[in-house]
Amino acid sequence: MKVTYANAIGDALKEEMRRDGKVLIYGEDIAQFGNIFGITRGMLEEFGPKRVRNTPITETAIIGSAIGAAETGLRPCVELMYSDFTMVAFSEIFHCVSKWRYMHGPEYKLPLVIRSASGSSNGAGSEHSNTVESLFMHAPGLTIIPPSCAYDAKGLLKSAIRSDNPVLFCEPKQLYQVKQEIPDDIYNSDYTIPIGVADVKRPGKDVTLVAVGLMVPRALEAAEKLAAEGIDVEVIDPRTIAPLDKDTIFNSIRKTHRAAVVEESNKTAGIGAELAAMFQEELYDELDGPVARIAALDVPMPYNIAMEHYSIPDVNRICASIRAMMD
């Protein structure tokens, strides 16, 4: 069966709500309207207004109340319409969500998932097109998950909802309508994907390319293009960037001796900056050259669609960076 990324998110929510009566969802326009992307459509009718609720446009209240709900034993999976709006509730997420489980002892649990639509979206402008994962990597205690395909999105969201740790679940907007072929028996099973385990999306021997979120399908397309030129790229999807599966990535670099990171967020202080520093610090003798960082330009996201597309990495830019490494 072919499943869109958006439907996979919706199916994961419904399956977990049927499985566990403590799971509830709420956010802006998610009830009658079904969320602006239609992901939660029909859930109000199935689960009722106590478990599917609209909220006012106040992100601080959404996160603050979700913390309280999680503390009482519920499993809230709340939605901030765009990942940009996490900034409105930054204090609650950075100080309370990420830290309280550590501050209050081993018996304290905080089973909270914060979903948001992330990244560029064909003209949404600089206040509705950001990727925030790198900002929250600086907050120990948060699990950060940016799935790259429908199969991963469903399995990882189910794991996130079942986790006793708080999770920031970032969904690239441009992937919502992308379809993936998944066998019926697998998709319809109660499968989960473990948090903190990377996936080698394409094996290779010349370059290790770590790709995040939206950049994973672009990295795979670039790898196929480069293969025709005799460059064999191994594409690794970390799946979760906190915690990070260093073993899988490091084993790949020990094989290829070259590394690159591609992400949708800005280059300065981005995910690639952290990973490049980690590779240089811990694998210096394994590297045959500097780590390449392929990322969005350090500009506010343009409103003009052509300029927006130019601002974030595409297949050609990925290929050019890998060719430069090999040269």
Side-chain angles (χ1 to χ4, degrees):
M1 61 188 297
K2 285 191 174 182
V3 183
T4 67
Y5 188 103
N7 285 342
I9 296 289
D11 288 343
L13 290 171
K14 286 183 284 189
E15 288 178 16
E16 290 305 295
M17 293 181 76
R18 291 167 187 154
R19 187 189 65 85
D20 185 349
K22 293 181 179 180
V23 178
L24 67 153
I25 62 173
Y26 57 90
E28 297 156 2
D29 289 331
I30 74 160
Q32 290 87 350
F33 193 60
N35 143 304
I36 59 170
F37 301 101
I39 291 173
T40 58
R41 194 167 294 147
M43 295 188 194
L44 173 64
E45 290 77 10
E46 179 174 353
F47 300 105
K50 288 187 176 181
R51 298 181 65 196
V52 182
R53 297 189 177 192
N54 288 331
T55 66
I57 304 175
T58 170
E59 287 76 16
T60 52
I62 294 172
I63 301 304
S65 62
I67 295 169
E71 287 177 324
T72 64
L74 298 174
R75 291 188 174 271
C77 183
V78 299
E79 178 183 309
L80 300 184
M81 189 179 289
Y82 290 112
S83 62
D84 314 70
F85 302 162
T86 57
M87 298 299 100
V88 180
F90 188 85
S91 180
E92 282 79 5
I93 298 172
F94 187 86
H95 287 299
C96 305
V97 175
S98 70
K99 297 175 182 177
W100 278 8
R101 187 156 194 219
Y102 289 84
M103 290 170 61
H104 298 304
E107 294 182 359
Y108 185 93
K109 299 177 181 179
L110 200 67
L112 164 61
V113 178
I114 303 169
R115 291 182 45 247
S116 61
S118 178
S120 56
S121 57
N122 293 320
S126 60
E127 294 179 344
H128 294 77
S129 303
N130 290 283
T131 51
V132 300
E133 293 92 328
S134 62
L135 297 176
F136 286 102
M137 286 176 71
H138 196 67
L142 276 179
T143 296
I144 305 173
I145 304 178
S148 66
C149 62
Y151 177 83
D152 287 359
K154 183 180 179 184
L156 287 166
L157 182 54
K158 289 168 73 72
S159 293
I161 292 171
R162 298 180 192 188
S163 173
D164 289 330
N165 297 310
V167 177
L168 195 62
F169 201 85
C170 303
E171 304 161 10
K173 300 186 197 76
Q174 290 198 41
L175 294 179
Y176 275 141
Q177 298 310 313
V178 174
K179 294 182 178 180
Q180 182 182 11
E181 186 70 44
I182 306 173
D184 290 20
D185 59 333
I186 294 176
Y187 187 77
N188 293 322
S189 66
D190 185 26
Y191 79 91
T192 59
I193 294 174
I195 291 171
V197 177
D199 187 27
V200 179
K201 297 293 187 185
R202 182 189 189 278
K205 59 181 175 58
D206 293 329
V207 181
T208 297
L209 178 57
V210 181
V212 179
L214 174 65
M215 292 298 117
V216 173
R218 297 188 182 189
L220 289 169
E221 185 177 346
E224 291 303 311
K225 190 172 181 179
L226 290 165
E229 304 172 17
I231 302 173
D232 194 13
V233 178
E234 181 151 292
V235 177
I236 296 180
D237 178 358
R239 283 177 163 167
T240 63
I241 58 173
L244 182 72
D245 181 1
K246 292 169 60 174
D247 289 343
T248 296
I249 298 171
F250 282 17
N251 287 338
S252 176
I253 294 173
R254 291 187 181 100
K255 176 178 64 174
T256 65
H257 303 290
R258 295 181 181 88
V261 183
V262 59
E263 61 185 302
E264 189 181 358
S265 50
N266 299 121
K267 184 175 184 178
T268 298
I271 299 169
E274 174 59 27
L275 295 191
M278 183 189 300
F279 300 162
Q280 301 276 24
E281 186 174 60
E282 300 185 40
L283 293 175
Y284 182 81
D285 290 337
E286 297 288 348
L287 291 166
D288 287 345
V291 178
R293 293 185 290 148
I294 311 163
L297 303 180
D298 284 329
V299 298
M301 185 64 70
Y303 175 75
N304 179 279
I305 294 177
M307 293 176 68
E308 176 189 289
H309 291 174
Y310 179 78
S311 297
I312 63 175
D314 59 11
V315 172
N316 290 333
R317 193 187 301 180
I318 295 170
C319 287
S321 294
I322 299 300
R323 290 190 195 103
M325 293 178 68
M326 300 303 295
D327 290 342

